[in-house]
Amino acid sequence: MRHLPLIAGFCLLAAAMPVWADRIGDISETSVIEQAKRFFSFRDPSVRYALIGSVLLGISCGLMGGFIVVRKMALFGDTLSHAVLPGVALGFLWNMEKDPVAIFIGATLAGLLGGAMVALIRQTTRLKEDTALGIVLASFFAVGICLLTRIQKMPGNKGGLDEFLFGSAASIGRSDIILMAVVTSLAVLLVGLFYKEFLVTSFDAAFARAAGFPVNIINYALTLLLAFSVVVALRAVGVVLVSAMLITPAAAAYLLTDRMHRLLGLAALFGVISGAVGAFISFLTTNIPTGPLMVVAATMVFALAFFFGPHHGVLMRWWRQKSRSARVQRENTLKAVYHVLEAREFDGEGVSLRELAERRRETLDEARAQSDALCKHHMATLHDDGDAIHLTPEGWQRACEIVRNHRLWELYLTNEANIAPDHVHEDAEIIEHVLGEETVRELERALNHATRDPHGRVIPGLADLVSGSTPFGSPETVTGYTSR
Amino acid sequence: MSVNVTKTVEPPPLEFHDLTVAYHKRPVLWGIDLEIPKGQLVGIIGPNGAGKSTLIKAAMGLLQLNSGWVKVFGEPIGKNLKRVGYVPQRESVDWDFPVSVMDVVLMGRYGHLGLMRRPSKKDRNIARDCLEKVKMLPYANRQISNLSGGQQQRVFLARALAQESDIYFMDEPFAGVDAATESAIVTILHELKAKGKTLLVVHHDLPTAKEYFDSLLLLNMRVVAYGPTEEVFKYDLLQSTYGGRLTILSEVAEAVREKS
Ligand SMILES: Nc1ncnc2c1ncn2[C@@H]1O[C@H](COP(=O)(O)OP(=O)(O)O)[C@@H](O)[C@H]1O
Ligand SMILES: [Mg+2]
């Protein structure tokens, strides 16, 4: 008994071996395409069971996973799923065969016992949740491995208990499917009926209790459903990785939506996709157990959400950042054009690239690149063989807005916040690009519609902006612009 | 012949009798005896760890009591849950939770719905009105993580308003909010009071405490004083509440001086 951990480690490896020989049906075709055809024809009952089973486990794991992710209970899910292992073994010992109902009951009870142990350790000692979870996970799993190894060595055993470690969709039989269907329907039904209760206790348990909801009962119900969905997934995914089918699809959904009901729907969908893809690939390849394949598939879904999610996706964030800095760059060019025109009192419309480059202290090539960017956004047109640019009405309007924002903000900081006039420019350089029209109106009101900034320069007014035309068409607009 | 006049006097909204609460056998509230009359706006004042949150949680039946009892409108809290509204401390929830502002305010209606029933059109209208009152209606469909601290507090207040209760417990509703939100909340507190609601509000800022509340409850493990603000907001009482904490004492001295 002293060498138990060592033995357990060996057994884990040994137990994994036979699984690699397992796959859906006893198929002899060799070509991948033949295999795929066979899979999608659903000819073999084992293929049908595997697929239906993956769909069912995807739904129940996705739903329950959604709750444990928003409740920050992912580690609890992991612990509970490892804690079922001794129950699996005891369920088998009950009548020495793989009776789904006996194993289901044993596993569920063991999982709940694990959860209760965590609560007990937390309430009676000073240990914190993570430590309690660690202890329970490891100890239950170790006991499970020992029992399983003993069973494996018993005379007359039919073997194949090890598939509970890494999962084998091929081993799902008719009675498993019935059990899975019952449990998944129960989960869907309860979540549907008591959605409001689950939502409010997950978000704010103290409030829910104060409003009279039986928070403890709801939490027990959730834990029970969680244990059910773990046990349902056990056959196909295996004890070691089943928590990933809870967490990963739900985590992907969490990155994609801001509403709980959509999160649950998406998590279930991702669970189904991962389960089905995992079952399919394990059917094609010869020697990989189903569980890892399903988890890899789920991780792919997560990676897609991580990179391409419309709100929180890394790629979209990067893209938004990039387009924002490109816009700021363009607006700074517009401002430079304005400054050049202002310096010569709006005499003549065209601004040569040389003037622009000087103003921005850049090379001619850089000025050209920026003019091109403006032209591409219809804010300017090139003239004189591309040596000068003219602003379009839109370009002109935006230029006026930026200069106005800048000067208004400088004035505001100087007047209202008592900041010295030579300290306000840097701040205004940033603020000018983000001020909304609403805030601008407020600023103008606060400043009594002042017309000059702290450096004595004219602040472009609303009238010039709405007219939307360049001041060069007619002399009136020019005067209308400079003196309001 | 005698005429029997039976006057039905409603029992007080809140009554504590010899209440003691402990966490892990360490008492944090000792022998609390209190009776809060109807229509009062009560500020609960005390240093950090004084047991202010514990007191209101005990009043709402969220904690195991070691001794004594609490009655709400003359009955155990379990019988009058619908008459109690709650604004928890803002940090008590995860503001990244995937719900919208509207979802949160609708939770205020859940207590009236009972198990399994979904919020109806009427509940949505009530929630909308409550959002309007705290000027958060334009944000109804926002996810809550995009809100500022003051906006989050308004959402919590709207949720409590949607509970349409007779007695409200609010835990530090002014903590970390902007000036505009603070004055909006004060306005709403006074409106509720004018409607005859009873309000118990945990507050941490002494100078404003004497402006906002009719009566104050000075708390530090036990009731140091309870009564009308002008009678209770006294240097010696505040000193024994905050006991020897120098920074707070100087603040108190300042507040008392301002007053006289
Ligand atoms: N759940 C808890 N478990 C253990 N101790 C607690 C718990 N909640 C509060 N306490 C302790 O009880 C005391 C009173 O806390 P609390 O009522 O939150 O004070 P306040 O709200 O006045 O700052 C504090 O010393 C705190 O550490
Ligand atoms: Mg508190």
Side-chain angles (χ1 to χ4, degrees):
Chain A
M1 288 306 269
R2 263 173 293 146
H3 307 294
L4 263 185
L6 211 77
I7 298 173
F10 275 119
C11 295
L12 187 62
L13 285 177
M17 295 303 220
V19 187
W20 297 348
D22 227 321
R23 61 190 164 118
I24 298 167
D26 291 316
I27 288 126
S28 48
E29 278 94 335
T30 40
S31 104
V32 172
I33 296 168
E34 282 301 307
Q35 295 265 68
K37 264 193 203 153
R38 186 162 175 159
F39 185 86
F40 286 112
S41 70
F42 303 124
R43 241 186 300 140
D44 312 72
S46 66
V47 168
R48 281 205 299 276
Y49 291 150
L51 206 61
I52 296 170
S54 337
V55 168
L56 290 173
L57 83 89
I59 292 173
S60 61
C61 282
L63 272 186
M64 288 304 121
F67 282 108
I68 69 166
V69 165
V70 298
R71 284 171 163 241
K72 308 194 198 80
M73 281 169 51
L75 283 181
F76 180 79
D78 198 25
T79 300
L80 195 144
S81 58
H82 281 79
V84 301
L85 194 59
V88 172
L90 292 176
F92 180 82
L93 285 175
W94 183 254
N95 51 10
M96 292 310 283
E97 61 177 342
K98 277 189 270 178
D99 172 9
V101 177
I103 288 178
F104 177 87
I105 293 172
T108 307
L109 288 180
L112 294 179
L113 183 68
M117 293 291 286
V118 172
L120 187 73
I121 293 175
R122 267 199 48 201
Q123 278 160 21
T124 55
T125 70
R126 288 155 48 191
L127 295 171
K128 302 292 178 283
E129 171 113 14
D130 56 338
T131 310
L133 288 172
I135 292 170
V136 171
L137 184 152
S139 56
F140 274 62
F141 193 62
V143 170
I145 294 285
C146 296
L147 286 174
L148 227 54
T149 319
R150 290 303 293 241
I151 293 169
Q152 215 82 19
K153 301 260 164 62
M154 276 179 189
N157 110 76
K158 304 193 187 84
L161 262 189
D162 36 68
E163 68 209 13
F164 282 104
L165 281 181
F166 294 109
S168 156
S171 68
I172 296 178
R174 203 182 137 76
S175 46
D176 293 301
I177 288 290
I178 292 172
L179 195 66
M180 290 173 98
V182 169
V183 168
T184 303
S185 319
L186 186 72
V188 172
L189 192 74
L190 286 183
V191 170
L193 284 178
F194 295 100
Y195 175 70
K196 167 176 119 259
E197 285 77 11
F198 284 136
L199 182 71
V200 70
T201 43
S202 302
F203 175 62
D204 191 345
F207 180 85
R209 205 176 297 237
F213 287 99
V215 172
N216 287 341
I217 295 177
I218 293 170
N219 285 343
Y220 292 140
L222 209 62
T223 310
L224 188 67
L225 284 180
L226 184 63
F228 280 175
S229 58
V230 164
V231 177
V232 152
L234 216 55
R235 229 22 200 299
V237 192
V239 172
V240 178
L241 286 173
V242 66
S243 64
M245 286 302 285
L246 289 169
I247 298 163
T248 313
Y254 190 90
L255 293 184
L256 294 180
T257 175
D258 283 341
R259 300 294 293 280
M260 189 65 191
H261 57 277
R262 282 186 216 134
L263 186 151
L264 292 178
L266 275 180
L269 177 71
F270 293 160
V272 167
I273 292 174
S274 319
V277 169
F280 174 60
I281 297 176
S282 87
F283 178 82
L284 293 187
T285 58
T286 45
N287 51 9
I288 305 178
T290 338
L293 288 172
M294 287 185 180
V295 173
V296 167
T299 311
M300 297 295 230
V301 174
F302 177 81
L304 287 178
F306 178 78
F307 286 111
F308 303 107
H311 295 295
H312 312 291
V314 170
L315 222 66
M316 284 313 286
R317 281 218 302 269
W318 173 80
W319 175 252
R320 272 202 298 273
Q321 171 81 35
K322 200 170 125 77
S323 58
R324 195 180 311 128
S325 64
R327 180 174 62 83
V328 167
Q329 181 74 262
R330 282 199 305 278
E331 291 178 350
N332 285 338
T333 313
L334 285 174
K335 197 171 60 174
V337 171
Y338 185 98
H339 286 149
V340 170
L341 290 171
E342 188 183 43
R344 54 165 136 97
E345 299 185 329
F346 303 102
D347 182 21
E349 187 174 359
V351 169
S352 74
L353 293 188
R354 187 169 304 282
E355 282 174 299
L356 190 62
E358 259 164 39
R359 177 82 216 174
R360 299 212 63 187
R361 296 201 188 89
E362 289 172 344
T363 65
L364 209 54
D365 284 341
E366 281 168 324
R368 180 161 287 122
Q370 278 156 26
S371 318
D372 289 345
L374 283 185
C375 294
K376 225 168 79 195
H377 285 82
H378 310 293
M379 293 193 152
T381 48
L382 284 179
H383 292 263
D384 302 341
D385 298 329
D387 278 340
I389 60 168
H390 291 193
L391 295 188
T392 63
E394 296 96 82
W396 175 247
Q397 175 168 348
R398 191 69 197 138
C400 290
E401 280 170 358
I402 293 296
V403 173
R404 174 202 57 185
N405 292 355
H406 184 102
R407 293 180 181 172
L408 272 178
W409 188 247
E410 284 192 344
L411 190 61
Y412 183 76
L413 287 186
T414 318
N415 286 8
E416 308 290 315
N418 286 323
I419 297 176
D422 57 337
H423 284 51
V424 294
H425 178 76
E426 296 287 306
D427 198 35
E429 280 290 294
I430 301 162
I431 298 295
E432 63 189 15
H433 302 287
V434 295
L435 277 186
E437 279 304 297
E438 197 107 319
T439 324
V440 169
R441 293 289 92 77
E442 246 172 69
L443 279 176
E444 287 181 332
R445 239 174 288 126
L447 296 167
N448 280 325
H449 300 273
T451 52
R452 302 228 166 222
D453 75 0
H455 312 288
R457 288 168 312 205
V458 172
I459 302 174
L462 183 63
D464 316 303
L465 302 186
V466 289
S467 75
S469 61
T470 62
F472 312 104
S474 60
E476 302 95 278
T477 13
V478 179
T479 45
Y481 170 68
T482 44
S483 67
R484 47 162 100 203
Chain B
M1 207 177 116
S2 70
V3 184
N4 230 341
V5 183
T6 44
K7 220 170 111 196
T8 49
V9 183
E10 204 186 20
L14 186 64
E15 199 182 347
F16 294 97
H17 178 80
D18 192 24
L19 179 88
T20 299
V21 182
Y23 290 113
H24 309 300
K25 302 204 174 106
R26 187 172 66 88
V28 283
L29 288 176
W30 276 105
I32 307 285
D33 272 306
L34 268 180
E35 197 179 308
I36 311 282
K38 187 167 185 261
Q40 285 277 315
L41 174 49
V42 184
I44 304 178
I45 313 283
N48 270 339
K52 305 182 294 293
S53 302
T54 305
L55 183 75
I56 64 176
K57 282 183 191 156
M60 285 181 301
L62 302 182
L63 298 175
Q64 197 86 41
L65 309 182
N66 285 53
S67 73
W69 46 256
V70 184
K71 280 185 178 167
V72 174
F73 294 104
E75 287 183 287
I77 174 78
K79 301 223 165 130
N80 271 323
L81 284 168
K82 286 181 195 164
R83 299 183 72 177
V84 174
Y86 182 29
V87 178
Q89 264 174 295
R90 193 153 48 85
E91 307 82 59
S92 64
V93 303
D94 170 16
W95 289 94
D96 282 330
F97 199 93
V99 283
S100 69
V101 167
M102 189 65 179
D103 292 335
V104 174
V105 179
L106 273 176
M107 287 178 192
R109 302 302 305 157
Y110 285 7
H112 294 268
L113 293 174
L115 289 176
M116 294 205 283
R117 295 248 319 277
R118 289 282 166 90
S120 65
K121 187 116 190 143
K122 187 178 141 246
D123 295 311
R124 285 183 177 278
N125 287 335
I126 292 172
R128 208 163 282 134
D129 292 343
C130 296
L131 273 175
E132 178 75 61
K133 270 188 209 130
V134 299
K135 303 198 182 67
M136 285 292 289
L137 193 53
Y139 298 86
N141 292 321
R142 288 265 190 105
Q143 204 242 328
I144 54 172
S145 63
N146 300 323
L147 304 177
S148 72
Q151 290 171 331
Q152 292 175 348
Q153 197 66 60
R154 289 167 191 232
V155 172
F156 262 13
L157 190 61
R159 180 176 70 172
L161 292 177
Q163 291 185 283
E164 299 186 322
S165 309
D166 295 318
I167 176 165
Y168 281 98
F169 296 96
M170 307 193 181
D171 204 342
E172 308 226 7
F174 299 111
V177 306
D178 50 292
T181 299
E182 179 145 353
S183 71
I185 296 177
V186 170
T187 311
I188 287 169
L189 292 185
H190 282 103
E191 277 172 20
L192 288 170
K193 190 193 127 193
K195 283 189 204 153
K197 315 275 185 188
T198 309
L199 301 118
L200 280 89
V201 180
V202 175
H203 193 54
H204 60 282
D205 182 50
L206 282 172
T208 50
K210 66 175 197 284
E211 280 173 42
Y212 292 166
F213 302 107
D214 316 327
S215 47
L216 290 179
L217 169 58
L218 303 188
L219 189 77
N220 194 348
M221 289 183 74
R222 68 219 144 78
V223 178
V224 177
Y226 169 62
T229 305
E230 58 272 19
E231 285 172 27
V232 170
F233 201 84
K234 291 276 161 50
Y235 183 84
D236 50 339
L237 289 177
L238 291 169
Q239 191 187 30
S240 62
T241 310
Y242 282 88
R245 299 186 186 209
L246 288 176
T247 49
I248 304 216
L249 272 189
S250 60
E251 194 184 324
V252 173
E254 190 62 31
V256 172
R257 203 174 56 234
E258 264 174 44
K259 196 190 169 200
S260 50

